[in-house]
């Protein structure tokens, strides 16, 4: 079924704007990350044609295939990695992405540092926090955040811009957004990537600077994501 991406994009932007205004925030302080993972090309082209320039992908190889050539057509594109990153893909990720949102362990900080030295590219970095302390989920637990920040900054010389989280599916996301906002503000970190199709308005209420929206923009993904 064809999806009216331009139409849903416009509707989504107005919901983001209203959610920001409702809490006295400047709508420009919230960026929409269009999550394009596993979406067909025609929907991505439609989003690009409608002016969308910030995209999120959760797998490095898939993102390289989709964006390596395409990115040359859009010099102001911003590609963000929002899925877990294996150290052996760090170099590919550094070469493609403008922002990596999922730094979550010292070993990866070291791999990113080497990849940056090797390639001369320096994508901006967020740390993913496992706010729900879920064993199966990526992200550093809140208790380990300061130690990871120290390794990233002092040992690796990396700059960390902010934090990202994915709340547990069966809990109220507001508690997790509030926790992430608190962890960030206590540490002077200004970027907060939180909120997805079902809860981005709540995330904006708690200070999200980036909301990551897939299905509410592009429609259902055409094949399941692992
Ligand atoms: C897939 C994904 C999203 C988008 O989810 P929707 O519910 O489709 O909006 C956001 N963030 C991450 C990390 C994802 O993997």
């Amino acid at each position: 079924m064809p999806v009216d991406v331009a139409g849903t994009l416009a509707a989504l932007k107005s919901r983001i704007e209203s959610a920001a205004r409702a809490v006295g925030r400047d709508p420009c302080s919230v960026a929409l990350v269009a999550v394009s993972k596993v979406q067909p090309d025609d929907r991505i082209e439609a989003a690009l044609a409608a002016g969308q320039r910030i995209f999120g992908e959760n797998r490095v190889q898939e993102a390289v295939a989709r964006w390596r050539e395409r990115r040359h057509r859009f010099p102001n594109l911003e590609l963000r990695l929002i899925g877990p990153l294996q150290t052996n893909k760090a170099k590919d990720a550094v070469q493609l992405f403008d922002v990596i949102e999922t730094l979550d362990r010292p070993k990866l900080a070291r791999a990113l540092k080497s990849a940056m030295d090797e390639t001369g590219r320096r994508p901006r970095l967020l740390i993913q926090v496992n706010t729900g302390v879920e064993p199966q989920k990526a992200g550093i637990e809140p208790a380990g955040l300061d130690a990871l920040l120290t390794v990233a900054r002092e040992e690796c010389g990396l700059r960390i811009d902010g934090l990202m989280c994915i709340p547990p599916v069966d809990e109220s996301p507001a508690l997790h957004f509030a926790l992430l906002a608190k962890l960030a503000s206590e540490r002077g970190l200004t970027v907060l990537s939180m909120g997805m199709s079902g809860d981005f308005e709540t995330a904006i209420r708690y200070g999200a600077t980036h909301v990551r929206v897939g299905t509410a923009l592009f429609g259902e993904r055409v094949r399941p994501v692992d």
Side-chain angles (χ1 to χ4, degrees), residues 35 37 58 82-83 164 166 195-198 212-216 221:
V35 177
K37 64 183 182 197
N58 73 335
I82 61 172
M164 175 271 211
I166 309 169
M196 321 202 311
S197 289
R212 309 179 306 266
V213 180
T215 48
R221 288 180 276 275

Side-chain angles (χ1 to χ4, degrees), residues 65-140:
R66 174 169 302 135
W67 292 106
R68 196 177 37 207
E69 300 306 323
R70 204 174 252 129
R71 75 166 310 148
H72 299 302
R73 286 170 33 218
F74 301 96
N76 56 349
L77 205 60
E78 180 177 294
L79 299 179
R80 306 176 70 98
L81 179 65
I82 61 172
L85 178 57
Q86 294 168 261
T87 49
N88 64 1
K89 306 245 173 74
K91 189 175 165 192
D92 289 340
V94 162
Q95 276 173 323
L96 181 74
F97 289 99
D98 303 292
V99 182
I100 294 173
E101 299 199 5
T102 51
L103 172 56
D104 65 354
R105 54 201 194 279
K107 191 175 171 214
L108 181 56
R110 295 181 189 113
L112 287 169
K113 153 78 173 149
S114 313
M116 289 184 193
D117 287 349
E118 205 181 321
T119 61
R121 278 185 48 90
R122 293 191 77 81
R124 302 194 294 285
L125 299 174
L126 307 186
I127 288 178
Q128 179 178 359
V129 182
N130 185 356
T131 57
V133 196
E134 295 174 278
Q136 82 288 2
K137 193 167 272 178
I140 185 88

Side-chain angles (χ1 to χ4, degrees), residues 1 18 40 46 60 64 90 102 113 115 119 139 144 182 195 207 209 218:
M1 206 180 63
S18 312
V60 176
V64 168
T102 51
K113 153 78 173 149
T119 61
K182 180 167 174 282
T209 61
F218 292 112

Side-chain angles (χ1 to χ4, degrees), residues 1-5 8 39-40 42-43 215 217-222:
M1 206 180 63
V3 179
D4 171 19
V5 174
T8 53
Q39 294 289 352
D42 60 315
R43 294 183 195 168
T215 48
L217 172 59
F218 292 112
E220 291 303 320
R221 288 180 276 275
V222 290

